[in-house]
């Protein structure tokens, strides 16, 4: 069923009107709420970040709801897996077209729930389209069965097939609800799995709108269930019931999810925190480098796992770069418009504002200098905060090594490439990194030395983030496993090796028979080596 419009569905008397300044139709919200597995009768007030007002009362799930979702999903998954690649491809491509047709409603909802600008929201919607299209088309090529070379040529044939793991448990955060959901859910569906997803309350409406497009396209409703609620309760139930776990969030929570999954030998992919570095080499155009740096640091108000929080700039260009970076940052337009007239939105919650404010206050108290920004903007909305550039940051400050996850970046001056590389790698994290250089060859050479799951040259994060045919993930405390690309699809299947005897010659079954075959087999081993046969 398509998402209803205000003209097609009457507004129930107990549904409040829309929050001032938001485009959300209360009838549509109430209809989406019915897609949540919830029998508790309890709700949570979700705020509108632009205003701080209550946006809607989200129904909450229980562990019983999670168990019911898994039971229904397992039944639905049997038929979905048997339907085959061609059927799944058609359904997913229909979902792609529905998402494209509904993009304005998706953008409105995403901005209203997260406080993003229209441009940053569009970046996320476009990512969902790319992920859906890629997995729909690539799944058969990546996951179809294939012949492999036998260890006993002529005597045995060997084939590998891929069997869907069953039901994936997906836990997603509030900051990029659409794209982070799609990068786990869509490949699971394309591989023949079902999904039980624990949505963060703040991003639940966006996820429900995403799911509705897939259901309308032909995905069975029970195949993709959405639950809500407290992570320590509902999230643990999702992890406990899963045949494979996908988690995106903080490193401390990810470690708990990983330990819980490991206790039952359940596989998991975990994309966790980052303290992502950028290296600015001394051959850059300072103006262009500053524009790249500003977008990489302040997109979605820095509430992005791959955004840049540390910049190491070579001394030869440091003064010019910092001057241009400050000018560019101060010129960014903050606002809550539901169009493309603003450059930066708002922080999403009071907790985010508190964290950013505490990191900044601690840095200034210990001697850091604010070069740009550094102020909350309650005149624009309760959680607005100016994009902030710091210099003089030292290890004594919380923002030196801890992830701020907000619009605060520290700039450091270094003398050499090697010093920059060592400083960039001196972190417990390793999610994303960036190198800006006037020479692509030089930039690539420096990129080869950085310890991160993805590295962008002359770009901040969008190059690797948008490369849906390439793996994405972290090293060190930034996680394990990969999403996107063939690696992202293969997470959701178990490879099964099937070997069959040809009957040309019976394999030996007694010591005497092995003795007779020893010499021919040795000659065969030498021959295979001579022709470089694996």
């Amino acid at each position: 069923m398509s998402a209803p419009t205000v003209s097609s569905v009457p507004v129930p008397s107990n549904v409040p009107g829309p929050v001032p300044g938001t485009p959300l139709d209360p009838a549509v919200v109430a209809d989406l709420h019915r897609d949540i597995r919830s029998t508790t009768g309890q709700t949570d007030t979700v705020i509108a970040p632009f205003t701080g007002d209550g946006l809607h009362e989200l129904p909450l799930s229980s562990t019983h709801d999670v168990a019911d979702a898994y039971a229904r999903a397992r039944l639905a998954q049997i038929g979905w897996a048997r339907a085959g690649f061609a059927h799944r491809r058609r359904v997913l491509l229909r979902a792609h077209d529905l998402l494209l047709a509904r993009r304005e409603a998706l953008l409105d909802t995403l901005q209203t729930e997260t406080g993003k600008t229209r441009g940053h929201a569009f970046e996320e919607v476009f990512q969902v389209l790319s992920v859906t299209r890629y997995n729909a088309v690539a799944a058969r090529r990546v996951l179809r069965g294939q012949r492999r070379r036998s260890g006993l040529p002529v005597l045995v044939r060997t084939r590998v097939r891929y069997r869907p793991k069953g039901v994936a448990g997906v836990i997603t955060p509030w900051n990029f609800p659409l794209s982070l959901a799609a990068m786990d859910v869509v490949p699971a569906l394309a591989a023949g799995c079902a999904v039980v997803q624990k949505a963060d309350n703040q991003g639940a409406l966006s996820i429900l709108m995403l799911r509705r497009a897939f259901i309308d396209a032909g995905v069975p409703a029970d195949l993709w269930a959405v639950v809500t609620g407290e992570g320590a309760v509902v999230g643990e139930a999702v992890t406990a019931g899963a045949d494979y776990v996908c988690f995106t969030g903080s490193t401390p929570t990810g470690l708990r999810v990983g330990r819980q999954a490991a206790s039952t030998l359940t596989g998991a992919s975990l994309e966790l925190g980052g303290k992502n570095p950028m290296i600015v080499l001394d051959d850059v155009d300072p103006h262009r480098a500053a524009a790249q740096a500003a977008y990489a640091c302040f997109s979605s108000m820095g509430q992005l796992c791959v955004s840049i929080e540390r910049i190491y700039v070579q001394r030869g260009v440091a003064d010019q770069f910092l001057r241009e970076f400050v000018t560019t940052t101060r010129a960014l337009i903050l606002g809550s418009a539901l169009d493309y007239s603003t450059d930066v939105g708002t922080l999403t919650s009071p907790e985010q504002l508190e964290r950013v404010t505490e990191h900044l206050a601690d840095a200034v108290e210990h001697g850091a200098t604010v070069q740009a920004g550094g102020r909350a903007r309650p005149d624009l909305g309760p959680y607005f905060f100016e994009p902030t550039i710091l210099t003089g940051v030292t290890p004594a400050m919380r923002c030196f090594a801890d992830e701020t996850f907000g619009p605060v970046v520290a700039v450091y001056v270094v003398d050499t490439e090697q010093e920059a590389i060592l400083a960039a790698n001196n972190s417990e994290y390793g999610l994303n990194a960036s190198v800006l250089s006037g020479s692509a060859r030089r930039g690539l050479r420096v990129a080869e030395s950085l310890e991160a799951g993805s590295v962008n040259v002359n770009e901040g994060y969008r190059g690797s983030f948008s490369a849906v045919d390439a793996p994405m993930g972290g090293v060190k405390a930034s996680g394990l496993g990969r999403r996107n690309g063939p690696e992202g699809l293969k997470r959701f299947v178990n490879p099964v090796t099937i070997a069959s005897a040809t009957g040309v010659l019976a394999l030996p079954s007694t010591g005497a028979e092995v003795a007779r075959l020893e010499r021919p087999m040795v000659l065969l081993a030498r021959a295979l080596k001579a022709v470089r046969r694996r």
Side-chain angles (χ1 to χ4, degrees):
M1 181 176 68
S2 300
T5 63
V6 70
S7 60
S8 63
V9 175
V11 180
S13 60
N14 63 338
V15 176
V19 174
T22 73
L24 300 189
D25 179 351
V28 173
V29 173
D31 182 58
L32 290 172
H33 283 172
R34 287 191 281 270
D35 288 350
I36 300 171
R37 300 296 172 89
S38 174
T39 59
T40 65
Q42 298 176 337
T43 63
D44 178 48
T45 302
V46 178
I47 61 169
F50 286 140
T51 65
D53 297 324
L55 180 60
H56 66 114
E57 291 294 321
L58 182 72
L60 299 181
S61 307
S62 67
T63 56
H64 171 79
D65 295 319
V66 175
D68 179 66
Y70 270 112
R72 293 172 181 269
R74 293 193 189 285
L75 288 176
Q77 187 269 333
I78 296 171
W80 179 251
R82 289 176 178 171
F85 289 111
H87 174 74
R88 295 197 291 269
R89 182 180 188 270
R90 285 193 298 271
V91 171
L92 295 182
L93 289 178
R94 282 199 297 268
H96 170 279
D97 293 345
L98 288 175
L99 290 168
L100 192 58
R102 300 174 185 180
R103 65 187 181 279
E104 291 301 319
L106 283 168
L107 290 169
D108 287 346
T109 304
L110 188 58
Q111 279 195 268
T112 303
E113 276 196 306
T114 65
K116 295 177 187 285
T117 65
R118 197 72 163 186
H120 298 154
F122 181 79
E123 182 179 297
E124 188 169 350
V125 171
F126 188 82
Q127 178 80 352
V128 172
L129 294 171
S130 299
V131 166
T132 302
R133 190 171 58 250
Y134 171 81
N135 285 285
V137 173
R140 180 179 178 85
R141 171 180 55 82
V142 174
L143 301 179
R144 66 185 175 188
Q146 52 190 274
R147 292 188 64 177
R148 297 290 180 92
R149 290 179 180 174
S150 171
L152 299 169
V154 180
L155 305 183
V156 176
R157 294 192 185 97
T158 305
R159 186 175 183 83
V160 173
R161 67 180 294 269
Y162 295 98
R163 182 182 181 87
K165 287 184 175 178
V167 185
V170 175
I171 303 173
T172 49
W174 49 265
N175 59 322
F176 268 63
L178 288 180
S179 57
L180 293 176
M183 284 191 283
D184 287 335
V185 172
V186 178
L189 297 177
C193 290
V195 172
V196 174
Q197 180 183 5
K198 194 276 182 191
D200 188 280
N201 295 358
Q202 189 64 45
L205 284 182
S206 297
I207 288 169
L208 291 169
M209 289 192 72
L210 175 70
R211 175 187 176 274
R212 180 66 67 85
F214 280 81
I215 303 308
D216 290 349
V219 170
D222 286 339
L223 194 76
W224 178 0
V226 172
V227 294
T228 58
E230 185 180 352
V233 178
V234 176
E236 285 195 9
V238 169
T239 301
D243 299 310
Y244 187 84
V245 178
C246 304
F247 173 83
T248 307
S250 70
T251 296
T253 304
L255 288 172
R256 291 197 296 272
V257 171
R259 284 192 290 267
Q260 184 183 355
S263 69
T264 56
L265 299 182
T266 301
S269 59
L270 311 171
E271 187 187 296
L272 309 179
K275 190 71 177 176
N276 306 304
M278 171 181 281
I279 294 176
V280 181
L281 299 175
D282 57 9
D283 58 356
V284 299
D285 176 323
H287 179 74
R288 292 178 62 184
Q292 291 282 6
Y295 196 94
C297 297
F298 306 129
S299 176
S300 294
M301 285 296 280
Q303 299 170 127
L304 172 60
C305 54
V306 291
S307 65
I308 299 299
E309 293 196 11
R310 301 179 285 149
I311 298 179
Y312 301 97
V313 55
Q314 276 193 283
R315 192 173 301 279
V317 74
D319 290 342
Q320 294 171 285
F321 169 78
L322 184 58
R323 186 163 52 248
E324 293 282 354
F325 188 29
V326 167
T327 299
T328 300
T329 299
R330 287 176 175 170
L332 294 173
I333 300 172
L334 285 74
S336 57
L338 297 179
D339 56 32
Y340 294 94
S341 61
T342 59
D343 303 315
V344 201
T346 179
L347 292 166
T348 303
S349 67
E351 292 80 12
Q352 283 297 103
L353 178 62
E354 181 181 8
R355 182 177 180 84
V356 169
T357 303
E358 288 179 352
H359 271 217
L360 180 61
D362 174 76
V364 170
E365 180 182 349
H366 287 86
T369 300
V370 177
Q371 299 289 346
R375 294 187 305 152
R377 292 294 302 274
D379 55 311
L380 298 175
Y383 315 128
F384 277 87
F385 199 92
E386 291 179 345
T388 300
I389 302 170
L390 298 177
T391 56
V393 172
T394 69
M397 304 170 192
R398 288 178 59 188
C399 69
F400 178 83
D402 292 349
E403 184 179 28
T404 302
F405 212 66
V408 178
V409 61
V411 178
Y412 307 85
V413 178
V414 295
D415 290 308
T416 65
E417 285 181 15
Q418 189 61 32
E419 184 183 354
I421 292 168
L422 291 173
N425 289 341
N426 184 26
S427 172
E428 65 175 315
Y429 298 107
L431 188 57
N432 179 49
S434 172
V435 182
L436 304 186
S437 174
S439 163
R441 183 175 181 179
R442 185 184 181 194
L444 288 170
R445 176 170 51 78
V446 172
E448 292 283 348
S449 300
L450 295 179
E451 298 170 356
S454 61
V455 183
N456 291 268
V457 177
N458 290 329
E459 224 292 305
Y461 69 85
R462 287 175 290 182
S464 59
F465 192 73
S466 64
V468 295
D469 190 32
M472 174 187 175
V475 298
K476 299 190 281 190
S478 289
L480 57 85
R482 294 294 183 267
R483 52 161 53 113
N484 290 348
E487 294 85 351
L489 276 161
K490 288 183 176 179
R491 290 180 293 169
F492 300 105
V493 294
N494 287 319
V496 180
T497 299
I498 301 174
S500 58
T502 64
V504 172
L505 181 67
L507 296 177
S509 57
T510 67
E513 290 173 347
V514 173
R516 286 196 297 271
L517 286 175
E518 179 184 6
R519 182 175 177 80
M521 295 297 287
V522 169
L523 291 174
L524 175 62
R526 288 173 176 165
L528 291 174
K529 178 189 174 185
V531 298
R532 297 184 179 181
R533 182 77 174 255
R534 296 198 302 271

